[in-house]
């Protein structure tokens, strides 16, 4: 998967997603890399579908997220890049019907809409916006157990 930290004059862009269970959450735009597709090609496509913005160039990756979920029999990796100069106007044309809203947030306030999302979405994004590191940083998590909709997520040290 790939995600994009998109910054503009109005702040940082987040998208609101409707999940299969009907819940809503905010995240960076991005999504699945299709077979045969390059990561940045997929990210550019996903951002255009989810936000209407065209990203002519990406920097990074700025961070990498890995989530192990042996109790659910899945493994997730996400590379996150930065879009320093997006073009176009916001409009949603998500063929998957997941993204229902896109909005700019002040970088210092992104933690608020991200609150309640999975740790592996919120923590890396908030840390990057606070620290703005120059070298890619990795974040690793493991889901230890599930209790219905609740996940017990543990951060792993490298």
């Amino acid at each position: 998967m790939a995600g994009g930290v998109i910054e503009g004059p109005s702040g940082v862009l987040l998208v609101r997603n409707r999940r299969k269970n009907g819940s809503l959450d905010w995240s960076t735009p991005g999504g699945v890399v299709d077979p045969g597709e390059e990561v940045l090609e997929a990210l550019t496509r996903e951002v255009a579908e989810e936000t209407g913005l065209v990203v002519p160039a990406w920097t990074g990756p700025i961070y990498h997220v890995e989530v192990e979920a042996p109790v659910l029999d899945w493994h997730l990796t996400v590379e996150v890049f930065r879009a320093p100069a997006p073009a176009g106007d916001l409009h949603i044309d998500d063929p998957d019907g997941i993204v229902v809203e896109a909005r700019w947030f002040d970088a210092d306030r992104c933690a608020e809409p991200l609150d309640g999302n999975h740790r592996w979405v919120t923590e890396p994004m908030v840390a990057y916006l606070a620290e703005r590191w120059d070298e890619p940083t990795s974040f690793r998590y493991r889901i230890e157990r599930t209790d219905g909709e609740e996940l017990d997520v543990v951060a792993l040290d490298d």
Side-chain angles (χ1 to χ4, degrees):
M1 292 194 66
V5 175
I6 300 174
E7 297 185 83
S10 300
V12 177
L13 185 64
L14 297 178
V15 295
R16 196 167 197 193
N17 309 286
R18 181 176 313 281
R19 301 303 177 186
K20 290 179 184 177
N21 66 5
S23 67
L24 296 169
D25 62 39
W26 291 95
S27 69
T28 62
V32 174
V33 178
D34 291 333
E37 202 173 25
E38 296 293 325
V39 172
L40 292 179
E41 175 187 11
L43 181 56
T44 301
R45 174 185 50 77
E46 288 282 351
V47 166
E49 292 172 356
E50 294 178 0
T51 70
L53 298 179
V54 175
V55 178
W58 295 97
T59 60
I62 55 176
Y63 62 87
H64 175 87
V65 178
E66 182 177 0
V67 184
E68 303 170 9
V71 297
L72 298 171
D73 196 29
W74 60 258
H75 184 252
L76 172 71
T77 58
V78 183
E79 282 187 283
V80 179
F81 296 81
R82 182 174 172 271
D89 296 318
L90 283 182
H91 72 275
I92 300 165
D93 189 22
D94 183 9
D96 301 320
I98 297 169
V99 173
V100 297
E101 183 179 358
R103 188 185 317 165
W104 299 99
F105 290 90
D106 184 275
D108 295 336
R109 301 192 59 143
C110 278
E112 292 172 25
L114 292 172
D115 186 40
N117 205 326
H118 297 297
R119 261 181 100 171
W120 62 83
V121 174
T122 303
E123 288 177 355
M125 177 69 164
V126 171
Y128 172 74
L129 292 174
E131 299 174 33
R132 306 291 180 140
W133 51 75
D134 293 325
E135 296 298 319
T137 300
S138 292
F139 295 84
R140 294 179 52 239
Y141 300 90
R142 182 175 49 243
I143 297 173
E144 296 287 339
R145 65 177 176 79
T146 64
D147 184 16
E149 293 290 317
E150 295 294 318
L151 302 177
D152 183 15
V153 180
V154 175
L156 303 174
D157 295 327
D158 284 331

